[in-house]
Amino acid sequence: MHFAILDRRLRALGHSYGALPAHGGLWQAAEATAGDVLARLAVVPMVLEARALDVSPATIARFESVGDAQSARLLARILRDEINHVAIGVRWFRAGCATTGVAPAEHWRVLVDRYFAGVIKPPFNDSARAAAGLTKDFYAGLAR
């Protein structure tokens, strides 16, 4: 759904999805974590989608500052959805950790170190992360 929203907006602005360079981080994460469901949960919703929580407010503000209220509204909608995505990932990650008897925050850090090639970096949208259940005890120690 997010792709469709962004694709429609880009087309309305005379552009197309894929016309600009992009990274393949989500695909790379899916490949790297294919054999470990907890690793997939640690990296995709709890790192990649959580990063969207961090960068979206500033991006929304930039669109508003140039008078593009429609793009800002679309990104605000996606931000609300991403909070839910991260929350679902956190819930299932915690459940998996409970089943295997490992401490969630510590195990998350081990998995991120093993499977995520990127950098966990501030600034963090602590309030959105907290709303999703992703508390500072998970990510604060990894910030570089």
Side-chain angles (χ1 to χ4, degrees):
M1 179 176 49
H2 292 173
F3 169 79
I5 290 170
L6 295 172
D7 185 53
R8 278 193 305 272
R9 183 64 183 143
L10 286 169
R11 289 184 189 284
L13 294 170
H15 301 283
S16 64
Y17 194 89
L20 299 172
H23 64 82
L26 184 59
W27 188 257
Q28 292 163 353
E31 288 178 330
T33 61
D36 186 337
V37 69
L38 286 180
R40 174 75 54 90
L41 291 167
V43 173
V44 176
M46 296 174 73
V47 171
L48 298 175
E49 290 183 298
R51 188 65 184 152
L53 305 181
D54 302 333
V55 302
S56 292
T59 306
I60 292 166
R62 281 194 297 270
F63 278 112
E64 290 171 339
S65 74
V66 297
D68 188 350
Q70 186 173 354
S71 293
R73 276 193 308 276
L74 294 174
L75 290 178
R77 155 81 190 288
I78 291 170
L79 173 59
R80 288 188 302 275
D81 290 346
E82 292 297 346
I83 291 171
N84 290 328
H85 295 171
V86 174
I88 291 165
V90 170
R91 184 176 72 232
W92 284 107
F93 184 80
R94 286 184 183 276
C97 288
T99 300
T100 59
V102 295
E106 291 80 11
H107 193 55
W108 181 83
R109 287 190 294 275
V110 167
L111 294 173
V112 168
D113 189 51
R114 183 178 305 153
Y115 291 102
F116 182 63
V119 175
I120 307 293
K121 60 183 178 182
F124 299 115
N125 184 345
D126 294 324
S127 61
R129 284 171 173 253
L134 185 57
T135 53
K136 289 181 184 181
D137 58 319
F138 279 90
Y139 60 89
L142 287 182
R144 305 193 249 310

